[in-house]
Amino acid sequence: MSDTAESFHGHAHHAAPAPEGVTVRHDWSLAEVRALYQLPLLDLVHKAQTVHRQVFVENKVQLCSLLSIKTGGCPEDCAYCPQAARYKTGVKAEKLMAVPEVLAAATQARQAGATRFCMGAAWREVKDGPQFDSVLEMVRGVRALGMEACATLGMLSESQAKRLREAGLSAYNHNLDTSPEHYGDIISTRTYDDRLNTLNRVRDAGISVCCGGIIGMGESVDDRCNLLRTLANQEVHPESVPINALVPVEGTPLAEQHRIETVDMVRTIATARLLMPQAMVRLSAGRMQMNEEAQLLCMLAGANSLFFGEKLLTTGNPEYTQDMALLEKAGIRPLEPRQDR
């Protein structure tokens, strides 16, 4: 492994050993994960909250902002994604945003309390050239604001991962989406190994890994558990694990999927917390469909990061004022921006 533990300075990374009584494993069986997931809900949440408070003593929530810097026109066929060019979803292909425009959005997000700024581009893979150079400039600009910089740009080569690290990228998001067994029903234009290989390149470059998945895509409980098992059995756990609920979009193959039950979302978050106790578990897409009580239950189950802002790439997200009001009512404090970046 690279010098990740020494070189990454974001909120999401825990280089120190786990607290006494908290076990970090990389050898979970599917049966073990399923047994956790299917515990009586209150028992599962209690176990997850106990571990969570042992690791995250202050129990603060990190606020993240996500901006689509290049929207639509993607050649992939991800069945959930309105940005795929082959689906008629009303999302128009747009050019890469200009660097000053992105940094203005990052500045606004920081002023609103975000400590991580994520930039997403609807690409299958990164291509060297002026556009990638612009992304590197965006990363440098976000870091200069004192924020963690995260990017999700598709597949990366080794040299591209290294250049992103040199620019100061804190984390790279590349979700596995679902289990290896269910993956072929969701995506055919990229293999599961393609995703794992990109994660390895990110890790080897010394960049923090942000990797999670989406539930509610017609997968079984075993698929859900196997996704979490695959993440937890990595040689190093992802420092950041976004848990998304499918937002069905008209025009995509999954448009008719029923909305996931809150209990399923809570079970997935709690199980992720128990399997990867030191990760930031991020409550991501699907929050607009949740009431306040559901969101608080997800936080009780171990979610300690929220994406805020009116949009989450191309789907709706609760407005900033609603998020702040919810945190204030619940007495939950956000993580402050770090001063050492």
Side-chain angles (χ1 to χ4, degrees):
M1 199 183 84
S2 66
D3 63 346
T4 308
E6 292 75 26
S7 62
F8 179 67
H9 302 289
H11 286 299
H13 190 72
H14 287 262
E20 186 177 350
V22 175
T23 302
V24 177
R25 289 177 52 187
H26 306 268
D27 60 349
W28 293 92
S29 69
L30 177 57
E32 288 177 309
V33 178
R34 191 193 308 115
L36 286 176
Y37 184 94
Q38 294 180 325
L39 282 170
L41 184 66
L42 297 186
D43 292 346
L44 174 60
V45 170
H46 176 69
K47 285 174 71 74
Q49 175 64 195
T50 300
V51 168
H52 179 84
R53 293 302 289 266
Q54 286 177 278
V55 177
F56 297 94
V57 178
E58 291 185 324
N59 196 33
K60 294 182 179 181
V61 169
Q62 185 181 31
L63 300 179
C64 308
S65 182
L66 174 59
L67 177 68
S68 180
I69 60 173
K70 196 289 175 194
T71 302
C74 182
E76 301 268 40
D77 68 351
C78 306
Y80 54 82
C81 186
Q83 301 203 66
R86 67 192 68 205
Y87 306 138
K88 295 180 180 179
T89 62
V91 175
K92 296 180 180 179
E94 299 175 1
K95 294 181 179 179
L96 183 70
M97 291 175 65
V99 174
E101 193 177 1
V102 172
L103 296 184
T107 300
Q108 186 177 12
R110 191 187 193 282
Q111 290 170 347
T115 59
R116 174 179 284 218
F117 189 74
C118 305
M119 295 164 280
W123 292 329
R124 168 178 163 77
E125 58 196 344
V126 175
K127 294 180 179 176
D128 291 317
Q131 288 193 321
F132 185 49
D133 292 340
S134 291
V135 172
L136 296 175
E137 192 175 343
M138 294 172 193
V139 171
R140 286 189 285 266
V142 170
R143 290 307 303 270
L145 292 171
M147 304 174 77
E148 295 177 14
C150 178
T152 178
L153 314 168
M155 294 183 287
L156 293 177
S157 68
E158 289 182 22
S159 63
Q160 289 163 343
K162 289 177 181 176
R163 289 178 68 192
L164 284 166
R165 180 66 187 96
E166 289 165 0
L169 190 70
S170 311
Y172 194 81
N173 168 256
H174 200 64
N175 291 334
L176 292 179
D177 289 343
T178 189
S179 70
E181 295 77 14
H182 188 55
Y183 185 83
D185 294 333
I186 304 299
I187 303 159
S188 69
T189 51
R190 189 191 315 186
T191 69
Y192 213 73
D193 282 344
D194 286 336
R195 291 183 181 269
L196 292 170
N197 289 338
T198 292
L199 292 177
N200 288 335
R201 290 173 189 136
V202 168
R203 179 68 70 195
D204 289 344
I207 300 170
S208 174
V209 169
C210 176
C211 186
I214 307 169
I215 66 171
M217 298 194 295
E219 75 281 353
S220 66
V221 168
D222 274 3
D223 286 322
R224 217 167 280 166
C225 292
N226 228 358
L227 165 65
L228 297 175
R229 175 177 173 263
T230 302
L231 293 169
N233 283 355
Q234 298 288 301
E235 184 180 346
V236 178
H237 289 165
E239 288 85 0
S240 169
V241 180
I243 303 296
N244 301 274
L246 176 71
V247 179
V249 177
E250 187 176 350
T252 64
L254 296 179
E256 302 304 317
Q257 282 289 330
H258 294 296
R259 186 168 68 87
I260 198 73
E261 295 282 345
T262 295
V263 167
D264 294 322
M265 192 71 169
V266 171
R267 285 189 181 280
T268 303
I269 286 170
T271 305
R273 170 56 64 217
L274 291 169
L275 298 183
M276 295 165 280
Q278 293 176 292
M280 298 292 283
V281 177
R282 304 188 187 276
L283 180 56
S284 303
R287 280 207 299 131
M288 182 171 272
Q289 287 72 40
M290 294 183 183
N291 61 26
E292 291 186 344
E293 291 77 15
Q295 293 181 59
L296 289 172
L297 187 53
C298 287
M299 286 185 249
L300 184 65
N304 58 344
S305 177
L306 300 176
F307 283 96
F308 77 87
E310 292 182 11
K311 273 195 172 182
L312 199 57
L313 290 182
T314 56
T315 58
N317 201 45
E319 292 187 2
Y320 168 74
T321 51
Q322 291 178 256
D323 288 335
M324 295 304 102
L326 172 60
L327 295 180
E328 186 174 351
K329 277 192 286 188
I332 298 172
R333 291 179 295 159
L335 276 171
E336 302 86 1
R338 291 171 62 110
Q339 303 300 318
D340 60 348
R341 291 197 289 276

